[in-house]
Amino acid sequence: MAVYDWTGQRARRRKMMRAASVAMLLIILMAIPAILLHYNLIQFPY
């Protein structure tokens, strides 16, 4: 871990990490159905 200077660096990094984790979660949630559809593991009733 880096040594922080207390000029808002830590809060900014925490906010960036939270935004990155939310983005990753959204990407994973969108990728799972696409992957399942790609491998035909789930079929939509037409």
Side-chain angles (χ1 to χ4, degrees):
M1 293 298 289
V3 177
Y4 293 102
D5 55 337
W6 297 101
T7 57
Q9 188 79 12
R10 189 173 202 163
R12 193 180 307 125
R13 186 163 299 169
R14 190 184 297 133
K15 197 176 296 181
M16 277 176 47
M17 285 296 295
R18 186 180 298 131
S21 62
V22 169
M24 282 292 295
L25 196 65
L26 286 175
I27 288 171
I28 290 171
L29 283 177
M30 287 189 298
I32 286 173
I35 291 170
L36 291 180
L37 275 174
H38 180 71
Y39 289 110
N40 288 326
L41 296 178
I42 53 177
Q43 269 90 22
F44 281 116
Y46 292 110

